[in-house]
């Protein structure tokens, strides 16, 4: 269920490119602060949304999400709510190591264990419950982890992101061991069997979930049409403080009047940000806006979707 980045080149996220192509530009404006008591947010999808509005899109995303695995798998299976490759906790990424991790670019010259210590293991759900699953050997986990191939620095477009270095650096694996990793799932956080790869540049271990694909139920692929022009993609949920959620929205230096958009239901929350687009000329430089919205209750274990793309968001980890 992990999302793979484009191989052999570095490019802007598709959602960021779509946003930049569909907007006009005006003079740069100050980045938005949180709104009023609700953070400038909607409290839920409109009962009868019309046209191509953020509320209508959120309602469609919620409906698509609920048409997913079904309550049996959601409450009794293994449905991860984040990627199966997990970076070290509190890792300090650089632009180059972030790009390499997202793209799955690794080098490893050591010997991989020929088999897992066990052929079957257990997923332990911290809120209660255990699930027996088959596990994959280290070689298969490394194949799933290392998906990026060799970078092609010649395709990097400095005109689009003039301040960013070409992300040509692979990550170096020096060892591997079998263990566990905590992962958000539809049944709450769980201790999941994983192969843990020691990565020099990240100063810790990247865990790759070792559960056999046959035991993994993917989150729904929510179909969406073109997003509303004023809606920006969410790159990352950076902080959750009670009912307040702070996240990063991707736009340009031309955006003004940036506001949070939040639609929430009992089982899912849709996050986004809106901005006023201008018709003048300005720099096309990508800018990240820090936005805060307020929920009516704590997020808890609810799924979080990006209103722009429909992708699942994992608090604390960047889309990529």
């Amino acid at each position: 269920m992990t999302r793979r980045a484009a191989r052999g080149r570095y490019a802007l996220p598709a959602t960021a490119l779509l946003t930049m192509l569909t907007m006009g530009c005006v003079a740069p404006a100050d980045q938005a602060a949180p709104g009023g008591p609700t953070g400038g947010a909607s409290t839920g999808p409109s009962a009868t949304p019309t046209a191509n509005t953020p509320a209508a899109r959120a309602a469609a995303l919620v409906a698509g999400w609920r048409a997913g695995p079904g309550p049996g798998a959601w409450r009794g299976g293994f449905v991860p709510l984040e990627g199966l490759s997990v970076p070290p906790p509190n890792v300090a990424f650089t632009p180059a190591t972030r790009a390499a991790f997202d793209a799955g670019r690794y080098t490893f010259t050591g010997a991989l264990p020929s088999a897992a210590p066990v052929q079957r293991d257990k997923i332990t759900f911290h809120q209660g419950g255990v699930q027996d699953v088959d596990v994959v050997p280290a070689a298969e986990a490394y194949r799933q982890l290392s998906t990026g191939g060799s970078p092609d620095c010649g395709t990097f477009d400095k005109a689009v992101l003039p301040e960013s270095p070409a992300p040509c650096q692979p990550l170096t694996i020096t060892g591997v061991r079998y263990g566990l990793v905590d992962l958000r799932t539809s049944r709450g956080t769980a201790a999941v069997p994983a192969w843990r790869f020691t990565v020099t540049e990240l100063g810790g271990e990247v865990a790759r979930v070792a559960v056999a694909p046959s035991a993994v139920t993917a989150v729904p692929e929510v179909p969406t049409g073109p997003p509303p022009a004023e809606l920006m993609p969410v790159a990352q949920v950076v902080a959750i403080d009670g009912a307040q959620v702070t996240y990063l929205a991707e736009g340009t230096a031309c955006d003004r009047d940036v506001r949070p958009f939040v639609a929430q239901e009992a089982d899912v929350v849709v996050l986004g940000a809106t901005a006023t687009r201008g018709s003048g000329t300005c720099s096309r430089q990508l800018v990240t806006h820090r936005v805060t919205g307020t929920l009516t209750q704590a997020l808890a274990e609810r799924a979080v979707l990006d209103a722009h793309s429909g992708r699942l968001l994992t608090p604390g980890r960047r889309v990529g």
Side-chain angles (χ1 to χ4, degrees):
M1 63 164 277
T2 51
R3 175 177 172 267
R4 295 182 181 179
R7 300 184 183 184
R9 64 178 61 214
Y10 178 68
L12 286 172
T15 52
L17 285 173
L18 178 61
T19 301
M20 294 169 70
L21 290 172
T22 57
M23 69 175 69
C25 290
V26 294
D30 292 339
Q31 302 208 357
T38 61
S42 161
T43 59
S46 171
T48 56
T50 59
N52 189 20
T53 64
R57 187 170 182 82
L61 292 175
V62 170
W65 178 264
R66 288 173 173 166
W74 196 258
R75 298 168 187 160
F78 175 48
V79 185
L81 297 186
E82 58 182 292
L84 302 185
S85 297
V86 182
N90 303 316
V91 60
F93 281 113
T94 66
T97 58
R98 175 79 257 182
F101 176 83
D102 289 345
R105 287 197 295 269
Y106 295 88
T107 59
F108 182 42
T109 58
L112 290 166
S114 58
V118 294
Q119 292 185 327
R120 286 182 66 80
D121 209 338
K122 298 181 183 296
I123 298 173
T124 302
F125 298 93
H126 297 327
Q127 294 182 1
V130 172
Q131 181 176 342
D132 293 326
V133 292
D134 293 331
V135 297
V136 299
E140 174 60 17
Y142 179 71
R143 186 191 67 79
Q144 296 171 358
L145 177 72
S146 183
T147 59
S150 300
D152 180 4
C153 299
T155 64
F156 182 72
D157 190 351
K158 278 283 188 181
V160 176
L161 291 176
E163 303 303 321
S164 298
C168 300
Q169 173 184 345
L171 300 175
T172 307
I173 295 175
T174 59
V176 57
R177 67 183 180 91
Y178 186 77
L180 297 170
V181 64
D182 274 351
L183 203 74
R184 289 183 72 241
T185 78
S186 60
R187 299 163 63 182
T189 305
V192 180
W195 287 100
R196 303 184 65 92
F197 296 88
T198 302
V199 178
T200 301
E201 293 81 2
L202 302 185
E205 294 176 327
V206 171
R208 176 69 196 187
V209 168
V211 177
S214 60
V216 180
T217 301
V219 297
E221 291 289 338
V222 180
T224 60
E230 70 271 26
L231 197 59
M232 294 187 294
V234 175
Q236 184 180 9
V237 177
V238 295
I240 300 171
D241 184 6
Q244 284 198 325
V245 181
T246 300
Y247 48 98
L248 304 180
E250 293 178 333
T252 74
C254 309
D255 298 326
R256 56 176 180 154
D257 195 25
V258 177
R259 296 176 180 273
F261 171 79
V262 178
Q264 53 191 311
E265 298 289 339
D267 54 341
V268 61
V269 171
V270 181
L271 294 180
T274 61
T276 300
R277 316 296 194 187
S279 57
T281 59
C282 71
S283 167
R284 295 178 60 198
Q285 183 177 358
L286 184 67
V287 170
T288 300
H289 302 276
R290 190 178 181 93
V291 185
T292 298
T294 302
L295 308 177
T296 56
Q297 59 184 355
L299 179 63
E301 297 294 341
R302 286 183 288 178
V304 183
L305 304 180
D306 172 22
H308 186 276
S309 67
R311 289 195 305 252
L312 183 72
L313 297 170
T314 299
R317 294 181 189 157
R318 190 177 184 84
V319 170

